[in-house]
């Protein structure tokens, strides 16, 4: 029984770690990539990976809650709030990228906003990750 519990926790933690790496990679790409067309294409394609990882995190988290018969504690409520906040930031980022026109001067503002959204997502992940280790 203990191995099932450990496996469930690991299945929940690994997508979180990969999502953190993806967010860090996206921040690096925004800073390094100078071609606006390539940046827009990359950010639109990687949105699928982001959505897949967040779905995995939610599914495994709900499965763990059902397995342990957990009630809504402060920790779980904070994780749900973080999911909603990160999802809203991702929706804003996706709509901003979708409406943007690469090659124009205003794309620099789009770059700054997208970078700000990713930094806020990274801060949410760090905050919840640090909070989750507390008992």
């Amino acid at each position: 029984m203990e191995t099932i519990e450990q496996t469930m926790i690991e299945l929940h933690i690994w997508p979180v770690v990969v999502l953190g790496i993806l967010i860090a990679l996206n921040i690096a790409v925004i800073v390094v990539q100078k071609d606006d067309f390539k940046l827009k294409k990359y950010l639109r394609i990687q949105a699928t990976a982001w959505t897949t990882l967040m779905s995995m995190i939610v599914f495994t988290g709900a499965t763990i809650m059902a397995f342990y018969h957990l009630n809504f504690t402060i920790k779980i409520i904070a994780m749900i709030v973080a999911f909603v906040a990160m999802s809203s930031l991702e929706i804003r980022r996706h709509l901003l990228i979708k409406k943007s026109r690469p090659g124009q001067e205003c794309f620099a503002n789009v770059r700054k906003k997208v970078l700000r959204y990713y930094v806020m997502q990274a801060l949410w992940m760090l905050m919840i990750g640090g909070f989750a280790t507390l008992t």
Side-chain angles (χ1 to χ4, degrees), residues 80-96:
I80 292 169
V81 168
F83 167 75
V84 170
M86 289 178 66
S87 294
S88 67
L89 288 170
E90 185 64 16
I91 290 169
R92 286 180 176 184
R93 184 207 61 81
H94 181 72
L95 291 175
L96 184 67

Side-chain angles (χ1 to χ4, degrees), residues 6 12 16 19 37 50-51 53 58 61-62 68 71 74 83 93 97 102 106 114-115 118-119 122 124 131 135:
Q6 186 63 27
H12 184 67
V16 174
L19 183 63
F37 291 101
W50 193 97
T51 305
L53 288 170
V58 169
Y68 285 128
N71 295 328
I74 298 292
F83 167 75
R93 184 207 61 81
I97 289 293
C106 64
V114 169
L115 183 61
Y118 278 128
V119 168
W124 269 106
F131 184 66
T135 53

Side-chain angles (χ1 to χ4, degrees), residues 10 16 23 28 33 36 42 48 71 74 108 113 117 124:
E10 287 177 11
V16 174
I23 290 173
Q33 182 62 264
D36 295 341
Y42 169 79
T48 307
N71 295 328
I74 298 292
K113 284 184 180 180
Y117 290 154
W124 269 106

Side-chain angles (χ1 to χ4, degrees), residues 8-9 12-13 16 19 50 54 56-65 68 70-88 121 123-135:
M8 290 176 70
I9 297 293
H12 184 67
I13 296 297
V16 174
L19 183 63
W50 193 97
M54 282 303 282
M56 288 173 65
I57 292 167
V58 169
F59 178 74
T60 56
T63 305
I64 290 170
M65 269 187 62
Y68 285 128
L70 295 176
N71 295 328
F72 283 100
T73 61
I74 298 292
K75 185 189 304 186
I76 292 172
I77 291 171
M79 289 182 190
I80 292 169
V81 168
F83 167 75
V84 170
M86 289 178 66
S87 294
S88 67
Q121 285 180 354
L123 291 175
W124 269 106
M125 285 197 60
L126 290 174
M127 181 177 64
I128 293 303
F131 184 66
T133 58
L134 300 175
T135 53

Side-chain angles (χ1 to χ4, degrees), residues 95-110:
L95 291 175
L96 184 67
I97 289 293
K98 186 177 179 181
K99 293 177 183 178
S100 68
R101 301 285 180 240
Q104 297 179 354
E105 292 178 20
C106 64
F107 199 79
N109 293 334
V110 170

Side-chain angles (χ1 to χ4, degrees), residues 18-48:
V18 173
L19 183 63
I21 292 169
L22 180 67
I23 290 173
L25 179 69
N26 291 340
I27 290 171
V29 167
I30 290 170
V31 172
V32 172
Q33 182 62 264
K34 300 302 178 196
D35 186 7
D36 295 341
F37 291 101
K38 288 182 181 178
L39 178 63
K40 181 177 178 175
K41 184 177 180 180
Y42 169 79
L43 290 176
R44 293 207 56 203
I45 290 172
Q46 68 77 36
T48 307

